[in-house]
Amino acid sequence: RKEVEQDPGPFNVPEGATVAFNCTYSNSASQSFFWYRQDCRKEPKLLMSVYSSGNEDGRFTAQLNRASQYISLLIRDSKLSDSATYLCAVNANDYKLSFGAGTTVTVRA
Amino acid sequence: NAGVTQTPKFRILKIGQSMTLQCTQDMNHNYMYWYRQDPGMGLKLIYYSVGAGITDKGEVPNGYNVSRSTTEDFPLRLELAAPSQTSVYFCAIQGEKLFFGSGTQLSVL
């Protein structure tokens, strides 16, 4: 089983729609969770950290479910500029992040 | 990408050639990483370093070598390039967050 798994998508949604997707992790000792955004042929950039209580940053909401070992990302009111690949990243407090393969989101006009 | 500089941005190698991918940071962070990313795949950790003079293997170290003689520099060496090493390589530093360089696209033909 892969350490971190994501639905590759693509999720093709119209502008203004809500899109949500999950990322599962296998190591129950994982301590830190993140969502990164990666545009085509560019480096990943941190979108947001994921906290136990869940957190929101504008139109983006991240949730952590430790019991089922997954994190989620929800994007509300999608914009064309949200089109990207979203990578989840997990670490078990050893300063080494494990990344999922990414979920591709395409927002159409 | 202020803070992490990767060179070159693109390179084509012939099978069996060697090369060094350069990574330099000016943020004085101890933790540095090399990842590779194949199309449609997540980032795989090649090597990492927790400080000058200290390096360790990641998930996919075979075919690569690293050194960390200074805090600033963390070069990645390919001794005998193989087609399987065709990939995009990202150097990253760990501060408050994992911060990536702009990447090196390498093709081995």
Side-chain angles (χ1 to χ4, degrees):
Chain A
R1 184 183 173 185
K2 291 182 181 177
E3 236 178 298
V4 182
E5 292 198 74
Q6 295 184 247
D7 181 343
F11 288 80
N12 192 327
V13 300
E15 268 188 298
T18 295
V19 59
F21 40 89
N22 294 338
C23 164
T24 58
Y25 60 94
S26 61
N27 186 351
S28 59
S30 298
Q31 295 293 324
S32 304
F33 308 89
F34 307 91
W35 282 106
Y36 279 77
R37 173 196 169 119
Q38 186 174 28
D39 295 300
C40 188
R41 297 181 178 275
K42 299 287 189 181
E43 73 278 11
K45 294 184 178 178
L46 182 65
L47 178 67
M48 58 197 302
S49 302
V50 185
Y51 302 121
S52 297
S53 55
N55 48 301
E56 202 172 290
D57 184 0
R59 298 180 293 106
F60 297 84
T61 301
Q63 297 279 355
L64 167 63
N65 185 316
R66 283 193 185 275
S68 300
Q69 295 186 201
Y70 72 88
I71 62 173
S72 64
L73 182 66
L74 182 146
I75 308 173
R76 283 186 304 278
D77 189 22
S78 299
K79 312 291 184 191
L80 294 175
S81 57
D82 294 333
S83 296
T85 296
Y86 293 85
L87 306 173
C88 69
V90 174
N91 85 19
N93 221 21
D94 59 356
Y95 292 101
K96 291 183 289 182
L97 277 181
S98 295
F99 285 84
T103 296
T104 299
V105 173
T106 301
V107 182
R108 64 182 188 274
Chain B
N1 296 316
V4 185
T5 302
Q6 279 188 246
T7 56
K9 290 192 181 302
F10 304 94
R11 185 74 185 268
I12 298 175
L13 284 181
K14 293 182 179 178
I15 295 172
Q17 285 186 318
S18 60
M19 79 163 292
T20 299
L21 282 68
Q22 301 290 348
C23 177
T24 301
Q25 58 136 336
D26 61 5
M27 302 179 78
N28 204 34
H29 289 313
N30 283 324
Y31 288 78
M32 296 186 75
Y33 307 82
W34 275 106
Y35 285 91
R36 62 175 284 174
Q37 186 177 34
D38 299 325
M41 304 292 285
L43 295 151
K44 301 293 185 185
L45 183 64
I46 306 171
Y47 270 95
Y48 67 102
S49 170
V50 301
I54 306 169
T55 62
D56 208 347
K57 296 177 181 178
E59 189 181 354
V60 290
N62 291 342
Y64 307 95
N65 279 301
V66 294
S67 60
R68 185 92 183 272
S69 56
T70 66
T71 299
E72 292 78 20
D73 299 306
F74 189 39
L76 179 71
R77 179 87 178 159
L78 283 70
E79 292 293 352
L80 288 170
S84 60
Q85 293 178 305
T86 294
S87 192
V88 180
Y89 293 83
F90 291 104
C91 177
I93 60 175
Q94 179 73 54
E96 288 186 358
K97 62 182 182 179
L98 194 64
F99 187 80
F100 288 87
S102 58
T104 296
Q105 189 169 324
L106 176 67
S107 296
V108 182
L109 305 175

PDB file of all heavy atoms in Angstrom, chain A residues 4-34:
ATOM      1  N   VAL A   4       0.889   7.446   0.797  1.00  0.00           N
ATOM      2  CA  VAL A   4      -0.088   8.513   0.608  1.00  0.00           C
ATOM      3  C   VAL A   4      -0.762   8.296  -0.743  1.00  0.00           C
ATOM      4  O   VAL A   4      -0.078   8.168  -1.760  1.00  0.00           O
ATOM      5  CB  VAL A   4       0.593   9.898   0.625  1.00  0.00           C
ATOM      6  CG1 VAL A   4      -0.440  10.996   0.488  1.00  0.00           C
ATOM      7  CG2 VAL A   4       1.398  10.088   1.900  1.00  0.00           C
ATOM      8  N   GLU A   5      -2.078   8.249  -0.751  1.00  0.00           N
ATOM      9  CA  GLU A   5      -2.805   7.995  -1.986  1.00  0.00           C
ATOM     10  C   GLU A   5      -3.858   9.071  -2.226  1.00  0.00           C
ATOM     11  O   GLU A   5      -4.543   9.505  -1.284  1.00  0.00           O
ATOM     12  CB  GLU A   5      -3.480   6.627  -1.941  1.00  0.00           C
ATOM     13  CG  GLU A   5      -2.483   5.483  -1.944  1.00  0.00           C
ATOM     14  CD  GLU A   5      -3.098   4.160  -2.319  1.00  0.00           C
ATOM     15  OE1 GLU A   5      -3.398   3.950  -3.508  1.00  0.00           O
ATOM     16  OE2 GLU A   5      -3.264   3.317  -1.419  1.00  0.00           O
ATOM     17  N   GLN A   6      -3.964   9.451  -3.489  1.00  0.00           N
ATOM     18  CA  GLN A   6      -4.953  10.448  -3.884  1.00  0.00           C
ATOM     19  C   GLN A   6      -5.701   9.979  -5.121  1.00  0.00           C
ATOM     20  O   GLN A   6      -5.133   9.278  -5.963  1.00  0.00           O
ATOM     21  CB  GLN A   6      -4.274  11.783  -4.241  1.00  0.00           C
ATOM     22  CG  GLN A   6      -3.594  12.467  -3.106  1.00  0.00           C
ATOM     23  CD  GLN A   6      -3.034  13.811  -3.550  1.00  0.00           C
ATOM     24  OE1 GLN A   6      -1.814  14.009  -3.589  1.00  0.00           O
ATOM     25  NE2 GLN A   6      -3.917  14.749  -3.861  1.00  0.00           N
ATOM     26  N   ASP A   7      -6.931  10.399  -5.239  1.00  0.00           N
ATOM     27  CA  ASP A   7      -7.690  10.213  -6.467  1.00  0.00           C
ATOM     28  C   ASP A   7      -7.086  11.170  -7.498  1.00  0.00           C
ATOM     29  O   ASP A   7      -7.061  12.377  -7.280  1.00  0.00           O
ATOM     30  CB  ASP A   7      -9.155  10.569  -6.226  1.00  0.00           C
ATOM     31  CG  ASP A   7     -10.024  10.368  -7.464  1.00  0.00           C
ATOM     32  OD1 ASP A   7      -9.468  10.259  -8.585  1.00  0.00           O
ATOM     33  OD2 ASP A   7     -11.252  10.341  -7.311  1.00  0.00           O
ATOM     34  N   PRO A   8      -6.571  10.634  -8.612  1.00  0.00           N
ATOM     35  CA  PRO A   8      -5.895  11.515  -9.565  1.00  0.00           C
ATOM     36  C   PRO A   8      -6.810  12.479 -10.304  1.00  0.00           C
ATOM     37  O   PRO A   8      -6.347  13.485 -10.858  1.00  0.00           O
ATOM     38  CB  PRO A   8      -5.250  10.527 -10.540  1.00  0.00           C
ATOM     39  CG  PRO A   8      -6.082   9.294 -10.441  1.00  0.00           C
ATOM     40  CD  PRO A   8      -6.554   9.229  -9.024  1.00  0.00           C
ATOM     41  N   GLY A   9      -8.129  12.183 -10.285  1.00  0.00           N
ATOM     42  CA  GLY A   9      -9.064  13.000 -11.044  1.00  0.00           C
ATOM     43  C   GLY A   9      -8.957  12.670 -12.526  1.00  0.00           C
ATOM     44  O   GLY A   9      -8.696  11.515 -12.867  1.00  0.00           O
ATOM     45  N   PRO A  10      -9.130  13.582 -13.450  1.00  0.00           N
ATOM     46  CA  PRO A  10      -9.324  14.993 -13.131  1.00  0.00           C
ATOM     47  C   PRO A  10     -10.746  15.324 -12.694  1.00  0.00           C
ATOM     48  O   PRO A  10     -11.682  14.666 -13.091  1.00  0.00           O
ATOM     49  CB  PRO A  10      -8.993  15.686 -14.449  1.00  0.00           C
ATOM     50  CG  PRO A  10      -9.363  14.680 -15.492  1.00  0.00           C
ATOM     51  CD  PRO A  10      -9.081  13.333 -14.887  1.00  0.00           C
ATOM     52  N   PHE A  11     -10.843  16.326 -11.855  1.00  0.00           N
ATOM     53  CA  PHE A  11     -12.119  16.904 -11.494  1.00  0.00           C
ATOM     54  C   PHE A  11     -12.322  18.122 -12.397  1.00  0.00           C
ATOM     55  O   PHE A  11     -11.558  19.069 -12.346  1.00  0.00           O
ATOM     56  CB  PHE A  11     -12.136  17.328 -10.016  1.00  0.00           C
ATOM     57  CG  PHE A  11     -12.175  16.171  -9.066  1.00  0.00           C
ATOM     58  CD1 PHE A  11     -11.017  15.469  -8.753  1.00  0.00           C
ATOM     59  CD2 PHE A  11     -13.364  15.776  -8.477  1.00  0.00           C
ATOM     60  CE1 PHE A  11     -11.046  14.395  -7.875  1.00  0.00           C
ATOM     61  CE2 PHE A  11     -13.397  14.704  -7.602  1.00  0.00           C
ATOM     62  CZ  PHE A  11     -12.244  14.013  -7.299  1.00  0.00           C
ATOM     63  N   ASN A  12     -13.332  18.005 -13.214  1.00  0.00           N
ATOM     64  CA  ASN A  12     -13.625  19.062 -14.190  1.00  0.00           C
ATOM     65  C   ASN A  12     -14.901  19.762 -13.742  1.00  0.00           C
ATOM     66  O   ASN A  12     -15.982  19.182 -13.799  1.00  0.00           O
ATOM     67  CB  ASN A  12     -13.799  18.426 -15.574  1.00  0.00           C
ATOM     68  CG  ASN A  12     -13.812  19.458 -16.684  1.00  0.00           C
ATOM     69  OD1 ASN A  12     -14.285  20.569 -16.504  1.00  0.00           O
ATOM     70  ND2 ASN A  12     -13.282  19.085 -17.826  1.00  0.00           N
ATOM     71  N   VAL A  13     -14.781  20.981 -13.268  1.00  0.00           N
ATOM     72  CA  VAL A  13     -15.933  21.660 -12.674  1.00  0.00           C
ATOM     73  C   VAL A  13     -16.132  23.033 -13.296  1.00  0.00           C
ATOM     74  O   VAL A  13     -15.168  23.653 -13.764  1.00  0.00           O
ATOM     75  CB  VAL A  13     -15.763  21.813 -11.141  1.00  0.00           C
ATOM     76  CG1 VAL A  13     -15.629  20.446 -10.481  1.00  0.00           C
ATOM     77  CG2 VAL A  13     -14.580  22.697 -10.796  1.00  0.00           C
ATOM     78  N   PRO A  14     -17.381  23.531 -13.298  1.00  0.00           N
ATOM     79  CA  PRO A  14     -17.626  24.874 -13.824  1.00  0.00           C
ATOM     80  C   PRO A  14     -17.244  25.925 -12.783  1.00  0.00           C
ATOM     81  O   PRO A  14     -17.205  25.648 -11.567  1.00  0.00           O
ATOM     82  CB  PRO A  14     -19.135  24.879 -14.080  1.00  0.00           C
ATOM     83  CG  PRO A  14     -19.675  23.906 -13.096  1.00  0.00           C
ATOM     84  CD  PRO A  14     -18.623  22.851 -12.928  1.00  0.00           C
ATOM     85  N   GLU A  15     -16.967  27.090 -13.275  1.00  0.00           N
ATOM     86  CA  GLU A  15     -16.707  28.217 -12.362  1.00  0.00           C
ATOM     87  C   GLU A  15     -17.836  28.348 -11.362  1.00  0.00           C
ATOM     88  O   GLU A  15     -19.012  28.196 -11.711  1.00  0.00           O
ATOM     89  CB  GLU A  15     -16.622  29.525 -13.171  1.00  0.00           C
ATOM     90  CG  GLU A  15     -15.254  29.910 -13.616  1.00  0.00           C
ATOM     91  CD  GLU A  15     -15.238  31.306 -14.230  1.00  0.00           C
ATOM     92  OE1 GLU A  15     -15.922  31.506 -15.251  1.00  0.00           O
ATOM     93  OE2 GLU A  15     -14.547  32.174 -13.681  1.00  0.00           O
ATOM     94  N   GLY A  16     -17.492  28.629 -10.131  1.00  0.00           N
ATOM     95  CA  GLY A  16     -18.501  28.827  -9.100  1.00  0.00           C
ATOM     96  C   GLY A  16     -18.896  27.555  -8.363  1.00  0.00           C
ATOM     97  O   GLY A  16     -19.549  27.620  -7.319  1.00  0.00           O
ATOM     98  N   ALA A  17     -18.485  26.421  -8.901  1.00  0.00           N
ATOM     99  CA  ALA A  17     -18.857  25.147  -8.262  1.00  0.00           C
ATOM    100  C   ALA A  17     -17.971  24.877  -7.050  1.00  0.00           C
ATOM    101  O   ALA A  17     -16.940  25.518  -6.844  1.00  0.00           O
ATOM    102  CB  ALA A  17     -18.718  24.004  -9.266  1.00  0.00           C
ATOM    103  N   THR A  18     -18.424  23.910  -6.279  1.00  0.00           N
ATOM    104  CA  THR A  18     -17.634  23.415  -5.150  1.00  0.00           C
ATOM    105  C   THR A  18     -17.039  22.068  -5.537  1.00  0.00           C
ATOM    106  O   THR A  18     -17.720  21.217  -6.125  1.00  0.00           O
ATOM    107  CB  THR A  18     -18.509  23.258  -3.901  1.00  0.00           C
ATOM    108  OG1 THR A  18     -18.983  24.548  -3.490  1.00  0.00           O
ATOM    109  CG2 THR A  18     -17.725  22.628  -2.755  1.00  0.00           C
ATOM    110  N   VAL A  19     -15.789  21.885  -5.210  1.00  0.00           N
ATOM    111  CA  VAL A  19     -15.134  20.613  -5.500  1.00  0.00           C
ATOM    112  C   VAL A  19     -14.396  20.165  -4.245  1.00  0.00           C
ATOM    113  O   VAL A  19     -13.831  20.984  -3.506  1.00  0.00           O
ATOM    114  CB  VAL A  19     -14.184  20.734  -6.709  1.00  0.00           C
ATOM    115  CG1 VAL A  19     -13.100  21.774  -6.472  1.00  0.00           C
ATOM    116  CG2 VAL A  19     -13.582  19.392  -7.084  1.00  0.00           C
ATOM    117  N   ALA A  20     -14.442  18.873  -3.994  1.00  0.00           N
ATOM    118  CA  ALA A  20     -13.769  18.335  -2.812  1.00  0.00           C
ATOM    119  C   ALA A  20     -13.131  17.001  -3.145  1.00  0.00           C
ATOM    120  O   ALA A  20     -13.655  16.242  -3.980  1.00  0.00           O
ATOM    121  CB  ALA A  20     -14.766  18.171  -1.661  1.00  0.00           C
ATOM    122  N   PHE A  21     -12.016  16.743  -2.508  1.00  0.00           N
ATOM    123  CA  PHE A  21     -11.330  15.479  -2.746  1.00  0.00           C
ATOM    124  C   PHE A  21     -10.506  15.125  -1.521  1.00  0.00           C
ATOM    125  O   PHE A  21     -10.193  15.976  -0.687  1.00  0.00           O
ATOM    126  CB  PHE A  21     -10.449  15.543  -3.999  1.00  0.00           C
ATOM    127  CG  PHE A  21      -9.707  16.830  -4.167  1.00  0.00           C
ATOM    128  CD1 PHE A  21      -8.449  16.998  -3.611  1.00  0.00           C
ATOM    129  CD2 PHE A  21     -10.275  17.880  -4.878  1.00  0.00           C
ATOM    130  CE1 PHE A  21      -7.775  18.185  -3.761  1.00  0.00           C
ATOM    131  CE2 PHE A  21      -9.599  19.075  -5.035  1.00  0.00           C
ATOM    132  CZ  PHE A  21      -8.339  19.231  -4.478  1.00  0.00           C
ATOM    133  N   ASN A  22     -10.177  13.847  -1.441  1.00  0.00           N
ATOM    134  CA  ASN A  22      -9.506  13.313  -0.255  1.00  0.00           C
ATOM    135  C   ASN A  22      -8.120  12.805  -0.559  1.00  0.00           C
ATOM    136  O   ASN A  22      -7.729  12.611  -1.720  1.00  0.00           O
ATOM    137  CB  ASN A  22     -10.321  12.153   0.331  1.00  0.00           C
ATOM    138  CG  ASN A  22     -11.656  12.593   0.868  1.00  0.00           C
ATOM    139  OD1 ASN A  22     -11.858  13.762   1.186  1.00  0.00           O
ATOM    140  ND2 ASN A  22     -12.579  11.657   0.960  1.00  0.00           N
ATOM    141  N   CYS A  23      -7.408  12.540   0.515  1.00  0.00           N
ATOM    142  CA  CYS A  23      -6.080  11.950   0.450  1.00  0.00           C
ATOM    143  C   CYS A  23      -5.970  11.003   1.642  1.00  0.00           C
ATOM    144  O   CYS A  23      -6.217  11.417   2.775  1.00  0.00           O
ATOM    145  CB  CYS A  23      -5.049  13.071   0.539  1.00  0.00           C
ATOM    146  SG  CYS A  23      -3.371  12.526   0.932  1.00  0.00           S
ATOM    147  N   THR A  24      -5.633   9.756   1.387  1.00  0.00           N
ATOM    148  CA  THR A  24      -5.504   8.800   2.485  1.00  0.00           C
ATOM    149  C   THR A  24      -4.036   8.536   2.775  1.00  0.00           C
ATOM    150  O   THR A  24      -3.192   8.589   1.879  1.00  0.00           O
ATOM    151  CB  THR A  24      -6.191   7.463   2.152  1.00  0.00           C
ATOM    152  OG1 THR A  24      -5.601   6.929   0.956  1.00  0.00           O
ATOM    153  CG2 THR A  24      -7.680   7.658   1.930  1.00  0.00           C
ATOM    154  N   TYR A  25      -3.727   8.264   4.022  1.00  0.00           N
ATOM    155  CA  TYR A  25      -2.355   7.981   4.410  1.00  0.00           C
ATOM    156  C   TYR A  25      -2.329   6.693   5.221  1.00  0.00           C
ATOM    157  O   TYR A  25      -3.286   6.364   5.916  1.00  0.00           O
ATOM    158  CB  TYR A  25      -1.748   9.151   5.188  1.00  0.00           C
ATOM    159  CG  TYR A  25      -2.460   9.526   6.460  1.00  0.00           C
ATOM    160  CD1 TYR A  25      -2.058   9.004   7.691  1.00  0.00           C
ATOM    161  CD2 TYR A  25      -3.544  10.408   6.445  1.00  0.00           C
ATOM    162  CE1 TYR A  25      -2.707   9.347   8.867  1.00  0.00           C
ATOM    163  CE2 TYR A  25      -4.199  10.756   7.614  1.00  0.00           C
ATOM    164  CZ  TYR A  25      -3.776  10.214   8.817  1.00  0.00           C
ATOM    165  OH  TYR A  25      -4.435  10.558   9.981  1.00  0.00           O
ATOM    166  N   SER A  26      -1.211   5.979   5.140  1.00  0.00           N
ATOM    167  CA  SER A  26      -1.156   4.648   5.742  1.00  0.00           C
ATOM    168  C   SER A  26      -0.507   4.628   7.121  1.00  0.00           C
ATOM    169  O   SER A  26      -0.771   3.730   7.917  1.00  0.00           O
ATOM    170  CB  SER A  26      -0.403   3.684   4.814  1.00  0.00           C
ATOM    171  OG  SER A  26       0.921   4.139   4.612  1.00  0.00           O
ATOM    172  N   ASN A  27       0.337   5.618   7.413  1.00  0.00           N
ATOM    173  CA  ASN A  27       1.064   5.617   8.670  1.00  0.00           C
ATOM    174  C   ASN A  27       0.246   6.306   9.765  1.00  0.00           C
ATOM    175  O   ASN A  27       0.089   7.529   9.754  1.00  0.00           O
ATOM    176  CB  ASN A  27       2.411   6.320   8.495  1.00  0.00           C
ATOM    177  CG  ASN A  27       3.287   6.228   9.739  1.00  0.00           C
ATOM    178  OD1 ASN A  27       2.849   5.792  10.795  1.00  0.00           O
ATOM    179  ND2 ASN A  27       4.534   6.640   9.606  1.00  0.00           N
ATOM    180  N   SER A  28      -0.246   5.520  10.697  1.00  0.00           N
ATOM    181  CA  SER A  28      -1.086   6.080  11.759  1.00  0.00           C
ATOM    182  C   SER A  28      -0.309   7.010  12.683  1.00  0.00           C
ATOM    183  O   SER A  28      -0.900   7.769  13.448  1.00  0.00           O
ATOM    184  CB  SER A  28      -1.719   4.951  12.585  1.00  0.00           C
ATOM    185  OG  SER A  28      -0.714   4.140  13.160  1.00  0.00           O
ATOM    186  N   ALA A  29       1.034   6.956  12.614  1.00  0.00           N
ATOM    187  CA  ALA A  29       1.860   7.843  13.445  1.00  0.00           C
ATOM    188  C   ALA A  29       2.083   9.207  12.804  1.00  0.00           C
ATOM    189  O   ALA A  29       2.775  10.053  13.372  1.00  0.00           O
ATOM    190  CB  ALA A  29       3.209   7.178  13.724  1.00  0.00           C
ATOM    191  N   SER A  30       1.513   9.428  11.642  1.00  0.00           N
ATOM    192  CA  SER A  30       1.692  10.706  10.947  1.00  0.00           C
ATOM    193  C   SER A  30       1.226  11.852  11.826  1.00  0.00           C
ATOM    194  O   SER A  30       0.196  11.763  12.502  1.00  0.00           O
ATOM    195  CB  SER A  30       0.937  10.710   9.619  1.00  0.00           C
ATOM    196  OG  SER A  30       1.453   9.708   8.767  1.00  0.00           O
ATOM    197  N   GLN A  31       2.008  12.935  11.793  1.00  0.00           N
ATOM    198  CA  GLN A  31       1.734  14.057  12.689  1.00  0.00           C
ATOM    199  C   GLN A  31       1.369  15.345  11.966  1.00  0.00           C
ATOM    200  O   GLN A  31       0.635  16.161  12.498  1.00  0.00           O
ATOM    201  CB  GLN A  31       2.985  14.325  13.549  1.00  0.00           C
ATOM    202  CG  GLN A  31       3.335  13.193  14.504  1.00  0.00           C
ATOM    203  CD  GLN A  31       2.304  13.028  15.595  1.00  0.00           C
ATOM    204  OE1 GLN A  31       1.741  14.011  16.082  1.00  0.00           O
ATOM    205  NE2 GLN A  31       2.020  11.791  15.957  1.00  0.00           N
ATOM    206  N   SER A  32       1.945  15.527  10.793  1.00  0.00           N
ATOM    207  CA  SER A  32       1.741  16.807  10.095  1.00  0.00           C
ATOM    208  C   SER A  32       1.174  16.550   8.709  1.00  0.00           C
ATOM    209  O   SER A  32       1.552  15.583   8.038  1.00  0.00           O
ATOM    210  CB  SER A  32       3.072  17.555   9.968  1.00  0.00           C
ATOM    211  OG  SER A  32       3.659  17.749  11.231  1.00  0.00           O
ATOM    212  N   PHE A  33       0.285  17.446   8.298  1.00  0.00           N
ATOM    213  CA  PHE A  33      -0.452  17.242   7.050  1.00  0.00           C
ATOM    214  C   PHE A  33      -0.534  18.569   6.310  1.00  0.00           C
ATOM    215  O   PHE A  33      -0.737  19.626   6.923  1.00  0.00           O
ATOM    216  CB  PHE A  33      -1.864  16.723   7.361  1.00  0.00           C
ATOM    217  CG  PHE A  33      -1.866  15.520   8.267  1.00  0.00           C
ATOM    218  CD1 PHE A  33      -1.899  15.688   9.643  1.00  0.00           C
ATOM    219  CD2 PHE A  33      -1.821  14.242   7.743  1.00  0.00           C
ATOM    220  CE1 PHE A  33      -1.883  14.590  10.495  1.00  0.00           C
ATOM    221  CE2 PHE A  33      -1.803  13.143   8.578  1.00  0.00           C
ATOM    222  CZ  PHE A  33      -1.839  13.316   9.955  1.00  0.00           C
ATOM    223  N   PHE A  34      -0.386  18.477   4.993  1.00  0.00           N
ATOM    224  CA  PHE A  34      -0.353  19.699   4.203  1.00  0.00           C
ATOM    225  C   PHE A  34      -1.032  19.469   2.860  1.00  0.00           C
ATOM    226  O   PHE A  34      -1.044  18.354   2.342  1.00  0.00           O
ATOM    227  CB  PHE A  34       1.104  20.120   3.930  1.00  0.00           C
ATOM    228  CG  PHE A  34       1.946  20.220   5.164  1.00  0.00           C
ATOM    229  CD1 PHE A  34       2.664  19.124   5.613  1.00  0.00           C
ATOM    230  CD2 PHE A  34       2.034  21.411   5.867  1.00  0.00           C
ATOM    231  CE1 PHE A  34       3.442  19.199   6.753  1.00  0.00           C
ATOM    232  CE2 PHE A  34       2.818  21.498   7.007  1.00  0.00           C
ATOM    233  CZ  PHE A  34       3.516  20.394   7.447  1.00  0.00           C
TER     234      PHE A  34
END
